Amino acid sequence: FLAVRLFGVARDDLCGDGGVVYFPPGVYRVTQLFVGSRIVLLGAASGVVTLRNTEPSGRNFSGMVASATSPAPITDVEIRNLTFERTVETAAFDEHIYLENCQRVVIENSRFVGRIAHASHAQKGVHLRGCRHARILNNVFENIPDNALALNWLDAVSVSGHHVVSGNVFVRTANGRASQIVVTQSNVTMVGNVFDGQAPGFGGNWIETGAAGGAAITALALTANSVRGFGSLVHDLNGLAAVGNVLERASLNVDAVQERSSDVAFVGNVALGSFLRAKLVDHVLIEGNIVTGSTRDGI
């Protein structure tokens, strides 16, 4: 069991601009790693490197990996082949990765492990705030109590995210209101992800959206995702294409929370014991969907 030491600093380690931090196989006790631009955090291989936070209760964390404070955007951050674990669950706010005001981020082949015991726990897996051009690829999110992945706006400039979320697996074994993915940025594509809610009821929402600075977000694509045991809450959005998703005991729900939504297409989805819903939406296309065994209105 190793305490991580980077550049001779053992606490709140700082990685400057430019370089690769390589982790050989092992378990590393990490409080926080602050990263700048052009930084790669690279594990030896997927599943053999664990970054573990063992801090006691009562402390708030802005991320085991967090962006260094800078007025300029942090660019070109890559995180690959790492497992993040939080061993102590508290009522405090903490996140595995928190990057703010960043551009061109890749998080790939990593695993995020949470603990669900406190109903009010605010632990997130990955939180990108005010970031653009991110790729979240082939990761596993297990039992994150709050939001497994949050793509949130920061200011008027960063309302558009231009993010791709693909090939990830989201697993939750408990009920709760938490959402696996929260989006309050425009231009987000989610393709080929798996959402596995294993609780008897809904394990929260597989997808949730919200307004950005009071304005509806635009251009959300949900394509070829497989969803079981999750609800959904999509609202304040103009431009949704939900194509070829498979929903088992799940829902695809465009609801009215603040304002009307518009320009929504449900095409070629298969809903088993599930339902598709569009409420207070202008301009809706519903074509070629299969809905069977719904416990409420199918469409």
Side-chain angles (χ1 to χ4, degrees):
F1 188 75
L2 303 176
V4 65
R5 299 183 65 88
L6 304 177
F7 305 113
V9 180
R11 183 179 62 83
D12 293 344
D13 306 285
L14 174 63
C15 309
D17 288 346
V20 176
V21 180
Y22 175 77
F23 293 85
V27 178
Y28 298 81
R29 181 171 57 83
V30 176
T31 299
Q32 284 182 306
L33 304 177
F34 289 98
V35 296
S37 295
R38 300 177 302 284
I39 286 291
V40 179
L41 301 183
L42 178 64
S46 182
V48 302
V49 177
T50 297
L51 306 186
R52 181 171 292 164
N53 187 322
T54 61
E55 286 293 305
S57 61
R59 179 169 178 178
N60 291 328
F61 292 94
S62 61
M64 290 171 63
V65 172
S67 49
T69 303
S70 172
I74 293 172
T75 66
D76 304 289
V77 175
E78 298 184 16
I79 299 171
R80 303 178 190 269
N81 300 341
L82 297 174
T83 295
F84 293 81
E85 287 187 2
R86 181 76 164 103
T87 62
V88 180
E89 189 189 20
T90 74
F93 181 86
D94 63 80
E95 295 158 318
H96 290 88
I97 294 177
Y98 176 77
L99 300 179
E100 182 177 299
N101 192 22
C102 54
Q103 296 183 16
R104 297 187 300 276
V105 175
V106 177
I107 301 175
E108 186 173 15
N109 290 333
S110 293
R111 182 177 171 221
F112 302 88
V113 182
R115 291 172 178 265
I116 300 176
H118 294 263
S120 61
H121 194 69
Q123 183 189 74
K124 289 181 173 62
V126 174
H127 185 183
L128 304 184
R129 185 167 182 261
C131 297
R132 304 183 74 179
H133 312 301
R135 290 181 293 158
I136 313 297
L137 308 173
N138 303 327
N139 303 285
V140 177
F141 298 83
E142 298 179 31
N143 279 332
I144 305 299
D146 191 7
N147 307 136
L149 173 61
L151 306 174
N152 289 325
W153 75 292
L154 178 64
D155 50 40
V157 175
S158 62
V159 167
S160 295
H162 304 286
H163 300 316
V164 175
V165 180
S166 180
N168 302 281
V169 176
F170 298 83
V171 179
R172 186 177 173 89
T173 60
N175 290 319
R177 295 179 298 173
S179 295
Q180 297 304 290
I181 298 182
V182 171
V183 178
T184 61
Q185 286 185 305
S186 299
N187 302 103
V188 174
T189 298
M190 294 171 43
V191 57
N193 302 283
V194 173
F195 300 84
D196 188 4
Q198 299 178 2
F202 282 167
N205 296 318
W206 68 281
I207 176 69
E208 179 181 350
T209 70
I217 64 173
T218 62
L220 173 64
L222 307 176
T223 305
N225 298 287
S226 177
V227 186
R228 183 180 71 166
F230 283 105
S232 60
L233 179 58
V234 178
H235 62 96
D236 296 292
L237 179 141
N238 297 328
L240 165 67
V243 180
N245 300 285
V246 178
L247 310 173
E248 179 183 355
R249 193 171 49 83
S251 70
L252 184 50
N253 178 24
V254 181
D255 205 343
V257 175
Q258 296 180 27
E259 302 292 339
R260 298 179 71 94
S261 294
S262 67
D263 305 319
V264 169
F266 294 159
V267 178
N269 300 286
V270 177
L272 309 173
S274 310
F275 66 92
L276 308 176
R277 183 187 193 203
K279 181 179 179 182
L280 290 181
V281 180
D282 299 316
H283 313 143
V284 180
L285 171 66
I286 300 176
E287 183 176 8
N289 301 282
I290 296 175
V291 180
T292 63
S294 178
T295 57
R296 54 192 299 177
D297 294 341
I299 297 179

